């Protein structure tokens, strides 16, 4: 499959836009903490991760130019001029503190990594090639996230409370990013071999990645382990009434479907 064969692939264009915008937004939010991290070591890590995330966005944006959906506004395929309409609403504002950095690294970046794992053998080779490269760099990010979540949650008191609030603030929107199981865009990508899993399977893989750390710090979330199928599942009702299927983000509380 080549880039010219899918110029009218709206589903792929939308998901690539979301991946690129979230990576760009994460990098921008991380950038502040290159000087504001709690330790020198953390600041160095923040600087490296900022470069990685912005680099991931830069490798994804050029793909958008291959789709007819992007031709109306060439500015929307350049990182410097693009409007980040497809990034999660959590990233619209500056992080309130270091715990928001950690939560974004631990939840959202892990969710995006889960998608890239599912795309590394994609029939759409431009995505597969980028996914494989991104995954090499994300290994360090994952270790950073796991270590800081455990560290801050085990600190107890106000530190644990702040970290807990950051995790809860991003929890639902991260889970919703994969879409409902019948999400047309993700289902089409799965059916065509662009990714190897449906939304529910991707969510289960994501939970399998993050739950060991949360269990280790006795942080209970609305999920359950299905021992029969050896998988995690969400037990809460996700706010799909606020989910925008086009931008793959949640609308503010009290604002339902348009």
């Amino acid at each position: 499959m080549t880039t010219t064969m899918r110029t009218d692939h709206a589903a792929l264009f939308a998901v690539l836009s979301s991946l690129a915008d979230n990576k760009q937004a994460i990098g921008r939010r991380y950038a502040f903490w290159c000087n504001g991290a709690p330790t020198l070591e953390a600041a160095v890590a923040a600087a490296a991760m900022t470069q990685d995330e912005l680099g991931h966005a830069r490798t994804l944006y050029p793909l958008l130019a291959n789709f007819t959906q992007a031709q109306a506004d060439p500015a929307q395929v350049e990182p410097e001029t693009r409007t980040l309409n497809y990034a999660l609403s959590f990233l619209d504002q500056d992080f309130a503190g270091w715990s928001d950095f950690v939560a974004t690294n631990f939840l959202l970046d892990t969710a995006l990594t889960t998608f890239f794992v599912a795309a590394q053998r994609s029939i759409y080779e431009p995505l597969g090639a980028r996914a494989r490269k991104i995954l090499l760099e994300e290994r360090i990010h994952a270790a950073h996230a796991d270590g800081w979540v455990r560290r801050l949650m085990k600190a107890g008191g106000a530190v644990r409370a702040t970290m807990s609030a950051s995790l809860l603030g991003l929890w639902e929107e991260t889970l919703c990013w994969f879409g409902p199981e019948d999400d047309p865009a993700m289902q089409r990508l799965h059916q065509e071999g662009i990714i190897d899993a449906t939304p529910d399977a991707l969510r289960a893989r994501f939970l399998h990645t993050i739950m060991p750390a949360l269990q280790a710090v006795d942080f209970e979330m609305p999920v359950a382990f299905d021992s029969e199928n050896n998988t995690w599942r969400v037990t809460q009702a996700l706010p799909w009434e606020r989910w925008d299927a086009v931008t793959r983000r949640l609308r503010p509380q009290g604002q339902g479907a348009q």
Side-chain angles (χ1 to χ4, degrees):
M1 181 176 181
T2 66
T3 56
T4 57
M5 292 176 61
R6 290 295 182 176
T7 55
D8 293 316
H9 201 310
L12 181 55
F13 176 82
V15 174
L16 286 173
S17 297
S18 179
L19 290 166
D21 278 2
N22 276 295
K23 285 292 188 178
Q24 180 78 354
I26 289 172
R28 291 181 180 179
R29 296 299 172 223
Y30 280 4
F32 174 85
W33 296 92
C34 296
N35 293 319
T39 67
L40 177 59
E41 180 183 43
V44 171
M49 291 165 63
T50 296
Q51 291 181 324
D52 286 344
E53 296 301 325
L54 294 177
H56 297 166
R58 279 193 165 277
T59 67
L60 293 168
Y61 279 127
L63 296 182
L64 301 183
N66 298 319
F67 294 82
T68 56
Q69 289 88 345
Q71 291 177 356
D73 188 359
Q76 293 302 309
V77 300
E78 294 295 335
E80 293 81 5
T81 55
R82 181 172 171 81
T83 303
L84 303 183
N85 292 328
Y86 291 75
L88 264 62
S89 60
F90 185 87
L91 300 173
D92 288 348
Q93 307 297 324
D94 292 338
F95 291 160
W98 178 247
S99 64
D100 281 353
F101 183 114
V102 174
T104 299
N105 183 193
F106 183 71
L107 294 178
L108 177 55
D109 203 22
T110 300
L112 301 181
T113 296
T114 302
F115 180 93
F116 287 119
V117 170
Q120 60 185 328
R121 288 182 291 276
S122 178
I123 192 173
Y124 183 61
E125 179 54 24
L127 173 59
R130 285 160 175 77
R132 292 189 291 273
K133 182 178 185 300
I134 288 170
L135 290 173
L136 293 175
E137 296 175 345
E138 285 295 336
R139 294 175 183 173
I140 297 175
H141 298 206
H144 180 273
D146 187 279
W148 272 101
V149 164
R150 292 172 187 259
R151 177 176 177 175
L152 296 179
M153 293 297 283
K154 289 179 179 179
V159 175
R160 180 183 175 97
T162 301
M163 186 69 250
S164 298
S166 292
L167 291 171
L168 291 171
L170 188 52
W171 178 257
E172 289 186 336
E173 192 168 26
T174 299
L175 290 174
C176 286
W177 182 82
F178 296 108
E181 179 63 5
D182 61 355
D183 176 41
M186 287 293 204
Q187 282 291 342
R188 184 176 178 187
L189 298 191
H190 177 241
Q191 292 162 6
E192 295 182 3
I194 295 172
I195 55 176
D196 67 9
T198 64
D200 280 353
L202 290 171
R203 243 185 310 275
R205 292 178 185 179
F206 166 70
L207 292 172
H208 180 78
T209 301
I210 66 169
M211 286 309 299
L214 297 182
Q215 286 183 308
V217 296
D218 297 320
F219 188 58
E220 294 187 5
M221 298 299 285
V223 298
F225 185 72
D226 182 347
S227 57
E228 183 175 341
N229 296 308
N230 194 35
T231 188
W232 289 91
R233 60 181 177 83
V234 180
T235 57
Q236 71 181 113
L238 294 173
W240 296 117
E241 71 282 358
R242 294 196 291 117
W243 191 68
D244 188 316
V246 176
T247 60
R248 311 196 72 80
R249 52 186 267 151
L250 288 183
R251 303 181 187 92
Q253 289 281 0
Q255 184 179 335
Q258 300 295 311

